Amino acid sequence: MATTTAGKPSVMRRILTFPLTWMIIGTVFVFLTNAILVGVGSEMDATGVIVTALIGAAAGLVFYQLTMWLVARRRTPELTVRGIGRETFLGLAIGVLFIAVSYLIVVATGAYTVTWAPHDVTTTVALALAVNAGAAIVEELTFRGLLFQGVEQLCGPRVGRWIALAVTAAFFGGAHLLNPGATLWSSLAIAIEAGVLLGAAFMWRRNLWFVFGIHFAWNVIEGLLGIPVSGHRDPGLFVTTVHGDGLLSGGAFGLEASFVPVLVSLAVAIPMLVAARRRRVAPTRSAAARVRLEAVGR
């Protein structure tokens, strides 16, 4: 590390390790690389789309690590390989449960008619898995990896994570305003059901593999059920036809614009936030107890 004659980090090093700096650098590289690859893939056949999506996800992971190591000069425990299988599986299970419950509630109201209509099952499933893996990884590296942790560090240990939760949720909802069929309501719904839920998941586990799992399972299940994913409809194994009030069904934007998953997501996110708070308090109390014991020993 470059230092001044007094042994302190140089001005350039302080600029680079400032949270806003590495947030911007990391976001540009992770998103720009993925956008270029997605653009290239869109001009190719299904195999090309799958390959470029997976390369984009891998490149995002590499650029994220490089940004944290070389620019922010911090470790990345949020991407540790220890427990990767457990964290990913837990995230997948929660993501599947969240979408399944939301979907079945809407189906039970009669707002959806579901028809089995597969076409080239292997290609359809492969595309859904690859494209949504790329999207989940890139979006979570950006919003929960870079933006959340950057805002958290900027705002300090006491309130930083709560401000980061609010800021990233708002940005995540706002980013989806550009999607087909988006409205102010759909953006607000995504800010709550995705921004808050995924932020709460990260606060609880402090593990990006866990958050990847939730996001990935969510998008894949929606897509295969034939529901637009944030306004984007791709071929699925089913065709889901919408009936009635868009506030219930989500309309052309998809399930995410329904009030049902908003309520279900809060039912999932609130226990996570409670668990995150308890997890944060427990080490603090333990540290205080050690200080008291040391004082008694002296």
Side-chain angles (χ1 to χ4, degrees):
M1 178 185 294
T3 58
T4 63
T5 55
K8 296 181 180 180
S10 65
V11 173
M12 180 57 68
R13 176 48 55 198
R14 291 200 298 271
I15 292 173
L16 290 175
T17 56
F18 186 65
L20 188 60
T21 304
W22 52 259
M23 282 166 55
I24 293 173
I25 292 175
T27 298
V28 168
F29 276 105
V30 170
F31 247 106
L32 182 61
T33 303
N34 182 70
I36 293 172
L37 287 165
V38 168
V40 171
S42 66
E43 302 298 324
M44 304 170 71
D45 59 9
T47 301
V49 173
I50 291 169
V51 171
T52 53
L54 294 177
I55 292 175
L61 288 167
V62 170
F63 281 122
Y64 178 87
Q65 293 274 25
L66 290 175
T67 299
M68 291 304 195
W69 292 345
L70 302 179
V71 182
R73 292 297 177 95
R74 63 179 292 274
R75 297 178 180 177
T76 53
E78 65 275 12
L79 279 178
T80 180
V81 295
R82 179 179 296 179
I84 183 174
R86 180 188 66 250
E87 294 294 335
T88 304
F89 178 80
L90 180 58
L92 290 171
I94 291 175
V96 170
L97 182 64
F98 166 60
I99 288 300
V101 170
S102 301
Y103 184 75
L104 290 174
I105 290 174
V106 177
V107 169
T109 66
Y112 284 165
T113 299
V114 188
T115 306
W116 170 250
H119 176 69
D120 193 355
V121 173
T122 301
T123 301
T124 297
V125 172
L127 279 169
L129 294 176
V131 170
N132 288 303
I137 289 173
V138 169
E139 290 182 17
E140 293 312 314
L141 287 173
T142 301
F143 285 94
R144 257 57 63 177
L146 292 161
L147 299 184
F148 188 102
Q149 294 187 103
V151 173
E152 183 180 38
Q153 187 173 328
L154 276 172
C155 297
R158 287 193 175 184
V159 298
R161 57 185 181 152
W162 300 105
I163 295 175
L165 177 64
V167 169
T168 53
F171 269 95
F172 198 73
H176 286 77
L177 267 174
L178 301 176
N179 290 25
T183 63
L184 288 176
W185 159 248
S186 69
S187 182
L188 175 62
I190 286 184
I192 297 171
E193 69 199 10
V196 173
L197 174 58
L198 295 169
F202 184 69
M203 287 173 65
W204 175 34
R205 307 297 294 181
R206 303 300 298 196
N207 189 293
L208 283 173
W209 300 111
F210 174 64
V211 187
F212 293 157
I214 296 176
H215 196 149
F216 170 74
W218 173 339
N219 285 0
V220 168
I221 298 301
E222 274 192 320
L224 292 179
L225 286 171
I227 308 171
V229 179
S230 302
H232 297 284
R233 183 187 289 274
D234 294 313
L237 300 179
F238 297 84
V239 173
T240 297
T241 306
V242 176
H243 307 282
D245 189 353
L247 191 59
L248 175 60
S249 67
F253 191 80
L255 180 62
E256 292 153 336
S258 165
F259 72 86
V260 173
V262 172
L263 298 178
V264 175
S265 71
L266 290 174
V268 178
I270 290 172
M272 288 182 178
L273 292 173
V274 172
R277 184 178 183 280
R278 289 176 177 172
R279 188 174 184 178
R280 184 70 170 254
V281 169
T284 302
R285 289 177 175 171
S286 298
R290 286 196 299 272
V291 171
R292 288 196 296 271
L293 286 174
E294 290 172 1
V296 171
R298 290 195 295 270

